Amino acid sequence: MQKLKVFSKHYLTLAIILATAAQTIALECYVCSYTLNQSDATCITNASAVPAINCPKKYCLTVRQEMIHNANKVKSFLRDCVDKPPMLNGVKTDASLRTYYRSCQQNLCNGHNGRVYNSSGQIGGAGAGGGNYNYNAIIPGKKNGCLKARTSILCMLSMLLLYL
């Protein structure tokens, strides 16, 4: 019976360590939305002032909709976390709207204005301009994010070796 208690305690400890490691490695994305005539445009103008979440999905996303006849007028703006973006990186235009789709896979990579390509995406074609100019957006983020993930994995492996 004593062996069973010790064995169960080891599995519980391992489960906690694995759960902590998974949270540390999660993608961080800014999340907010804006619609036309909303008084607070912080979502568009200052990404670092909006919430960032641990995204359990694959991509950080930015979608910017502008009116065609007044290009500086933003109809809607979205920063989000998604499994499958509607379009990796591209622009769709119709008679009244121009919609910019930008997606990426690095921490806090969706903090740009939505017009530029963010070259941090890891999927083929991300950042490809198709003849348009490409721009890099420099986004303030957490320092040593990769170091935290490595430390967490090393901690997990060390704990596992201690229990074997």
Side-chain angles (χ1 to χ4, degrees):
M1 186 67 170
Q2 184 66 20
K3 275 187 171 182
L4 185 59
K5 282 184 180 180
V6 171
F7 188 69
S8 296
K9 188 190 301 183
H10 293 307
Y11 274 116
L12 179 62
T13 304
L14 182 60
I16 291 170
I17 291 170
L18 288 173
T20 303
Q23 287 180 349
T24 303
I25 298 171
L27 179 65
E28 280 188 291
C29 300
Y30 292 112
V31 291
C32 63
S33 63
Y34 167 86
T35 55
L36 184 64
N37 298 327
Q38 190 173 322
S39 60
D40 184 4
T42 303
C43 184
I44 300 171
T45 60
N46 189 4
S48 60
V50 301
I53 62 163
N54 274 336
C55 172
K57 300 178 182 179
K58 295 179 183 178
Y59 294 92
C60 294
L61 175 72
T62 306
V63 179
R64 178 187 181 113
Q65 261 191 340
E66 294 179 350
M67 294 182 195
I68 293 288
H69 300 293
N70 187 353
N72 292 326
K73 190 78 158 178
V74 176
K75 180 177 180 186
S76 68
F77 194 92
L78 175 70
R79 298 182 196 279
D80 204 359
C81 155
V82 297
D83 269 326
K84 186 176 180 188
M87 179 185 292
L88 274 179
N89 284 303
V91 181
K92 284 188 177 180
T93 305
D94 63 26
S96 59
L97 295 172
R98 179 175 293 116
T99 306
Y100 297 85
Y101 296 92
R102 306 295 183 224
S103 54
C104 51
Q105 293 181 301
Q106 291 183 352
N107 286 337
L108 304 176
C109 60
N110 66 333
H112 51 82
N113 69 9
R115 287 183 183 160
V116 299
Y117 284 99
N118 190 329
S119 63
S120 63
Q122 300 299 310
I123 297 297
N132 295 332
Y133 293 102
N134 291 330
Y135 301 94
N136 290 334
I138 299 172
I139 310 302
K142 286 187 175 180
K143 296 179 182 173
N144 301 325
C146 187
L147 181 61
K148 285 182 183 178
R150 286 187 194 138
T151 304
S152 181
I153 291 169
L154 289 175
C155 178
M156 178 183 66
L157 290 175
S158 299
M159 294 296 283
L160 183 62
L161 290 174
L162 286 173
Y163 284 112
L164 295 178

